[in-house]
Amino acid sequence: MVRAAGGGLGASSTRHTGTGHQAALLLTFMLLILAAILGRLAWLQLVHGAENRAMADENRIRLLPRNPVRGRLLDRKGRVLATNRLTYNLYLQPLQVDDRRWPGLRDRLAGLLGIPAERLDAQRRSGANAQGFRIPLALSLTPVQVLRFREQAGSLQGAEVSEDVLRAYPDGSLGAHVMGYTSSITEEEYAALRDHGYRISDRIGRSGLEKVYETHLRGEWGGQQLEVNAEGQVQRVLGDKPAKAGKDLRLTLDLDLQRAAEKALDGVRKGAIVAMDPRTGAVRAMASRPNFDPNIFSDGPTTAQWNNLNRPEAPMLNRAFQGFPPASTFKIVTTIAGIESGKLNENSTVPTVGSFCYYGQCYADHGSFGSIGFPFALGVSSNSFFYKVGLMVGPDELFKAARRLGYGSRTGSELSAEESPGLLGDPAWKKEVLGEPWTPVDTITSSIGQGAVTVTPIQMARLYAAVANGGWLVTPHLVERDFPRKWIGLKPATLRVLHAGLRQAVTSGTATILNDPSLPPVAGKTGTAEDPPRPDHAWFGGYAPATGTPTLVIVAFGENSGGYGGTVAAPMVKALMTVWFRGVKPPVAARPG
């Protein structure tokens, strides 16, 4: 009995211990599961909580963006040079339309909107992106196309028509090189700029003031935050942020004078005009020919338009910022070098000859005027006079004067990135670049603006401004604000000689076409630059009124025009001065066809 009882007790105890182990194992297993769940929750909530909430919001919240309106470009009187226009564009949502669905949608869109299917294919291919951003299929839809799409929109999932704001230039090509143009942002640009508020459908400034003042003009995106259900139906508006329009930009340009400049350049195939206030450097007109219509970039240029923009004449090149040989206009520099160096003075005279010979090499002049001084020499543009002055002062003084007047360096305008610094081929340059020593012949040719010397029309306008304003080197600028100017300290005698000589060029010299009693007194200088084997360049630069306080400097340039400065460039300047001083409004130039 005792054993039986003991055996019974032992059996009962064994069964109880097995049950305890099972309970422990079950508890451990449950704790492990709970730990896993808690770990997963911690992973989702703590480590990736923000990311998961964002993903949930992306599924629940939709953003309906609103484009910002780009700031306008206005002339100095507030007249519109660049504005905006509303347009409707067709887009594809690539994440909703795979390669299997695309042919059917493409054919429906082509038939409905009258757009060739192959064009839609090309747009889809060219706009494909790894991020799944929407692809523009067609821009600037007509009202009829928009209406047809909206009537069938329910069966065109993956395609959408949305409003857009495009840049518009009411006067077409007028001032195109100054204002520049805008076009769609690229994927690479978007990746770099997305943190600065840009969106994949943005347009950005590509050249001119549109590029320089991009942040001022662009504005900020706005939009509505909408909560949607699983079917994509809007449940409520969570927030509304109005788009912030860009700021207008008031330019120094005068619309009437700009139109006159564009009209004056109709007579040359290539060239440029710069008009500027010599007191401040405010640019009143800047035109370049050939030109282009920046409106074509808003919709995207056609193949024919793109080929036209890339022809050898380079329509998109701003010739006001490109360097060309200055020819006889450089005689102003030679005059300054002669007097400022102390080698000559305002009363000095130099004998002139019809053919100047130096060590057996002869250089023709257009006349022998006897022994003359600086004012007369500037008026008749005597080559032999300035050959001799150049030899008297030497290359160091000659190029020192040129640099003092801003030649050989950019002007500091807002568009400096597009400027050439020009070229001053002095002895150091010749030795370094050509590996040759300087010779007196180089001095002779440089003294009349030939040889290895190039200047830009904007640099030349600044030089004439320094003469007109009494010795201040201004900063040419296109936006109404203060810009620095530098005192270059020309001697009173130098200024007297320059004023007298440039005035004499108009009253009885090479630019008598500007000696018009209906205009205020004009002072200036012609130049005809050789460019063999091509035709000559034509220059004229001047200012008015020549007595009192000059208020306008104008430089006109005809590239390879084949004419003289007095017959090609001076008439352009006269046309602008007529508008500025008489207040005559020229006819509006026709938009390019």
Side-chain angles (χ1 to χ4, degrees):
M1 292 292 294
V2 173
R3 282 182 187 169
L9 287 172
S12 175
S13 174
T14 301
R15 285 195 297 270
H16 180 74
T17 301
T19 302
H21 286 177
Q22 290 175 357
L25 288 172
L26 180 60
L27 179 60
T28 301
F29 180 71
M30 292 176 65
L31 289 174
L32 288 173
I33 291 176
L34 182 60
I37 293 172
L38 291 174
R40 181 60 177 168
L41 287 174
W43 175 264
L44 293 174
Q45 295 281 344
L46 301 179
V47 180
H48 289 283
E51 179 182 341
N52 291 324
R53 280 191 296 274
M55 292 175 63
D57 285 342
E58 286 179 6
N59 293 328
R60 181 176 61 90
I61 298 172
R62 297 286 184 269
L63 180 66
L64 185 63
R66 291 198 185 99
N67 291 18
V69 176
R70 195 172 180 87
R72 300 173 300 167
L73 298 177
L74 310 173
D75 91 329
R76 71 190 190 101
K77 296 179 180 178
R79 292 171 291 188
V80 175
L81 299 172
T83 185
N84 307 283
R85 62 182 172 87
L86 185 65
T87 187
Y88 292 88
N89 300 326
L90 174 66
Y91 292 95
L92 175 70
Q93 295 287 359
L95 297 180
Q96 299 180 29
V97 182
D98 56 20
D99 291 341
R100 187 168 50 86
R101 275 202 61 212
W102 168 245
L105 178 61
R106 175 202 60 201
D107 293 343
R108 288 210 60 199
L109 291 171
L112 186 66
L113 304 179
I115 302 171
E118 57 271 19
R119 179 179 163 192
L120 294 173
D121 277 332
Q123 289 295 112
R124 179 175 180 251
R125 284 194 302 271
S126 65
N129 57 83
Q131 293 80 13
F133 296 129
R134 65 180 187 172
I135 299 170
L137 296 178
L139 304 178
S140 298
L141 299 181
T142 66
V144 173
Q145 288 175 314
V146 174
L147 181 61
R148 287 178 177 174
F149 180 90
R150 287 182 173 170
E151 287 176 343
Q152 303 293 324
S155 59
L156 297 170
Q157 285 84 5
E160 64 180 42
V161 167
S162 63
E163 292 181 354
D164 200 357
V165 179
L166 295 182
R167 202 56 160 165
Y169 304 87
D171 288 287
S173 60
L174 183 139
H177 295 90
V178 173
M179 291 183 288
Y181 68 96
T182 66
S183 66
S184 297
I185 195 171
T186 66
E187 282 192 57
E188 293 76 14
E189 289 169 332
Y190 172 69
L193 295 172
R194 61 187 302 175
D195 292 338
H196 298 281
Y198 282 83
R199 299 179 65 87
I200 192 62
S201 56
D202 257 321
R203 288 178 172 81
I204 61 176
R206 295 293 180 192
S207 68
L209 297 176
E210 293 278 23
K211 179 179 181 179
V212 173
Y213 287 96
E214 166 69 15
T215 55
H216 179 96
L217 294 167
R218 66 176 299 266
E220 296 179 9
W221 281 81
Q224 276 188 328
Q225 275 192 327
L226 307 176
E227 184 178 18
V228 298
N229 60 20
E231 286 74 37
Q233 297 171 331
V234 177
Q235 302 300 298
R236 60 181 175 136
V237 176
L238 299 177
D240 194 337
K241 178 186 176 183
K244 184 178 180 181
K247 299 175 184 176
D248 290 345
L249 193 64
R250 189 177 290 264
L251 309 187
T252 61
L253 296 182
D254 183 273
L255 181 58
D256 295 327
L257 199 63
Q258 183 69 33
R259 284 175 174 160
E262 304 282 355
K263 183 71 176 175
L265 283 171
D266 283 347
V268 296
R269 198 163 52 91
K270 296 184 289 184
I273 291 177
V274 176
M276 187 168 71
D277 187 330
R279 300 164 296 181
T280 64
V283 175
R284 299 304 182 200
M286 181 183 288
S288 179
R289 191 62 54 91
N291 55 10
F292 66 98
D293 185 350
N295 286 299
I296 66 176
F297 291 98
S298 295
D299 292 324
T302 63
T303 300
Q305 289 170 331
W306 183 251
N307 291 338
N308 182 60
L309 292 173
N310 287 280
R311 69 184 193 268
E313 290 81 1
M316 297 185 71
L317 184 70
N318 188 348
R319 282 171 164 78
F321 290 148
Q322 305 307 308
F324 303 94
S328 290
T329 62
F330 197 80
K331 292 171 182 175
I332 296 173
V333 176
T334 308
T335 298
I336 293 172
I339 300 176
E340 294 289 313
S341 67
K343 301 290 180 65
L344 297 102
N345 59 56
E346 63 180 313
N347 299 313
S348 296
T349 59
V350 176
T352 61
V353 292
S355 180
F356 174 71
C357 297
Y358 189 86
Y359 284 92
Q361 192 164 351
C362 296
Y363 306 89
D365 202 346
H366 52 271
S368 176
F369 307 100
S371 186
I372 60 176
F374 280 106
F376 190 90
L378 285 168
V380 298
S381 198
S382 170
N383 285 341
S384 61
F385 179 94
F386 288 100
Y387 291 150
K388 294 181 179 181
V389 172
L391 289 170
M392 289 181 201
V393 301
D396 291 344
E397 289 293 339
L398 197 63
F399 289 106
K400 176 183 175 183
R403 290 189 176 88
R404 188 175 175 184
L405 292 158
Y407 283 0
S409 60
R410 295 179 177 85
T411 64
S413 78
E414 300 97 327
L415 303 182
S416 284
E418 300 178 19
E419 284 189 50
S420 164
L423 173 64
L424 291 178
D426 61 8
W429 174 88
K430 187 178 181 186
K431 183 178 180 180
E432 179 183 350
V433 175
L434 301 182
E436 299 175 359
W438 188 264
T439 69
V441 171
D442 296 316
T443 304
I444 290 170
T445 56
S446 297
S447 66
I448 63 163
Q450 295 290 166
V453 176
T454 64
V455 303
T456 67
I458 191 72
Q459 287 174 334
M460 193 176 290
R462 189 163 66 149
L463 178 148
Y464 280 99
V467 175
N469 66 29
W472 290 95
L473 198 63
V474 297
T475 301
H477 57 275
L478 293 150
V479 174
E480 292 283 12
R481 63 184 179 89
D482 291 333
F483 282 79
R485 62 179 191 166
K486 176 184 176 182
W487 173 246
I488 58 175
L490 296 177
K491 296 176 182 178
T494 304
L495 291 169
R496 284 194 297 269
V497 164
L498 291 173
H499 288 308
L502 298 180
R503 178 65 182 143
Q504 191 166 337
V506 173
T507 58
S508 59
T510 58
T512 54
I513 191 173
L514 281 155
N515 194 30
D516 186 333
S518 66
L519 294 174
V522 179
K525 182 77 188 73
T526 57
T528 305
E530 297 175 356
D531 188 27
R534 294 170 290 273
D536 294 345
H537 303 307
W539 287 97
F540 182 82
Y543 55 88
T547 55
T549 302
T551 58
L552 190 67
V553 160
I554 305 176
V555 169
F557 171 70
E559 181 182 347
N560 299 126
S561 62
Y564 297 105
T567 58
V568 173
M572 297 188 213
V573 173
K574 182 179 181 180
L576 269 69
M577 287 195 171
T578 298
V579 170
W580 185 258
F581 291 108
R582 288 188 190 168
V584 176
K585 292 185 178 181
V588 178
R591 291 169 64 98

